[in-house]
Amino acid sequence: MNLSVSVQTIGLLIASNVFMTIAWYGHLKDLQAKPWYVAALISWGIALFEYLLQVPANRIGYAGGFSLAQLKIIQEVITLTVFVPFAMIVMDQPFKTDFLWAGLCLVGAVYFIFRS
């Protein structure tokens, strides 16, 4: 089964972003649980898996016809899409309309980057 370049790229970027969101923000759940340097080492270990997914995603996407700017905007959309549920579910943050406004700004960014 051959997956399209778009599906491969976006799928890998979603998976990589889940790892990176956990690496960057997961340790904030309980700041007193471990010293910052332990959290940093654990985060660094988690980030390794992010890079093992993100690097091939960008290589596949770039070789498959996405421009550098398109890859970056795709990543930003995925970042917000992963971050908002993470913030609400894992970090117990309330939903804010600012999430919606940020998403709408990204819709505009997608339009301008992909229109040509």
Side-chain angles (χ1 to χ4, degrees):
M1 176 170 119
N2 289 333
L3 298 175
S4 72
V5 167
S6 297
V7 170
Q8 290 178 61
T9 301
I10 293 169
L12 286 168
L13 286 174
I14 289 169
S16 75
N17 201 277
V18 168
F19 279 105
M20 196 47 123
T21 300
I22 293 166
W24 281 12
Y25 303 109
H27 60 89
L28 299 176
K29 182 81 170 156
D30 186 7
L31 289 176
Q32 305 307 316
K34 55 191 131 341
W36 73 266
Y37 53 87
V38 173
L41 289 172
I42 292 169
S43 293
W44 188 59
I46 294 169
L48 170 65
F49 293 103
E50 186 268 342
Y51 279 98
L52 292 174
L53 297 168
Q54 178 267 338
V55 170
N58 283 323
R59 291 175 67 92
I60 290 166
Y62 194 71
F66 284 114
S67 71
L68 189 61
Q70 288 170 335
L71 287 169
K72 183 59 181 169
I73 292 301
I74 291 168
Q75 179 62 43
E76 294 304 326
V77 169
I78 291 168
T79 296
L80 188 61
T81 304
V82 170
F83 177 78
V84 171
F86 175 85
M88 293 172 61
I89 295 166
V90 176
M91 301 300 289
D92 299 319
Q93 299 290 306
F95 178 81
K96 298 170 88 174
T97 54
D98 292 344
F99 296 152
L100 177 62
W101 305 136
L104 290 174
C105 289
L106 284 175
V107 169
V110 169
Y111 169 75
F112 287 113
I113 291 297
F114 279 89
R115 72 180 171 153
S116 53

